[in-house]
Amino acid sequence: MAESAVPGSKPASTFHRLFAGGRAPLIWGVIWGVIQAAVPLGFWWLDAATVYAMSIALIAAVYIGFAVADGRPTVIAVETIVASAFVVLAAAGVTGSAWLLVVGFAGHGLKDLWQHRSHYVANTRWWPPFCMTIDWVAAAIIAVAIISGATLHT
């Protein structure tokens, strides 16, 4: 049995140890990344490319909300411009190359990594690693699907 960090206290469970040390956002990010990659199954009447594009636009817009909560006009303007760029990239992926969607998810993951390192938008401590992991897991799964011959457009 594992020793506890505090003498006289009960040892931490395996579940608590797994999620300790800042790993929780990453673990949940992997779970939600797999779910994100499977989302088109729930919208079978739409092209997978359309569903992924809507997802990219939605996740990019989340930072506008964080920027508004931050309250600094410059941050709001920058995050709105960045989100708009992701919306344009996602829209191009609806009819263009499916690789644009992989670039969108992977690029947003890089944006999350930058946010995590810079703290440009205030009060987003756990969000960037969580969202980065979702983005990169989804990008990897979609890339594997494309390489395997899956088509995201009908």
Side-chain angles (χ1 to χ4, degrees):
M1 198 174 270
E3 291 185 32
S4 62
V6 179
S9 66
K10 294 170 72 173
S13 69
T14 301
F15 184 77
H16 284 101
R17 286 192 313 273
L18 177 65
F19 284 88
R23 289 187 295 259
L26 302 177
I27 293 167
W28 285 112
V30 169
I31 293 166
W32 282 101
V34 171
I35 292 168
Q36 173 63 60
V39 163
L41 297 173
F43 296 91
W44 67 91
W45 64 92
L46 295 173
D47 284 349
T50 301
V51 176
Y52 288 136
M54 290 188 303
S55 296
I56 291 168
L58 177 67
I59 62 175
V62 167
Y63 274 103
I64 296 174
F66 284 134
V68 170
D70 178 295
R72 293 176 287 165
T74 303
V75 172
I76 295 168
V78 167
E79 291 301 325
T80 300
I81 291 167
V82 171
S84 298
F86 280 105
V87 168
V88 169
L89 178 63
V94 171
T95 57
S97 171
W99 287 105
L100 290 172
L101 301 168
V102 174
V103 168
F105 279 110
H108 193 267
L110 287 172
K111 195 265 187 221
D112 290 320
L113 178 61
W114 174 79
Q115 167 58 28
H116 183 60
R117 306 291 280 173
S118 71
H119 301 284
Y120 181 70
V121 180
N123 302 315
T124 59
R125 192 186 91 216
W126 64 270
W127 182 262
F130 169 69
C131 191
M132 173 190 70
T133 306
I134 293 171
D135 293 337
W136 287 350
V137 168
I141 292 171
I142 296 166
V144 168
I146 294 168
I147 292 167
S148 299
T151 58
L152 304 184
H153 305 87
T154 54

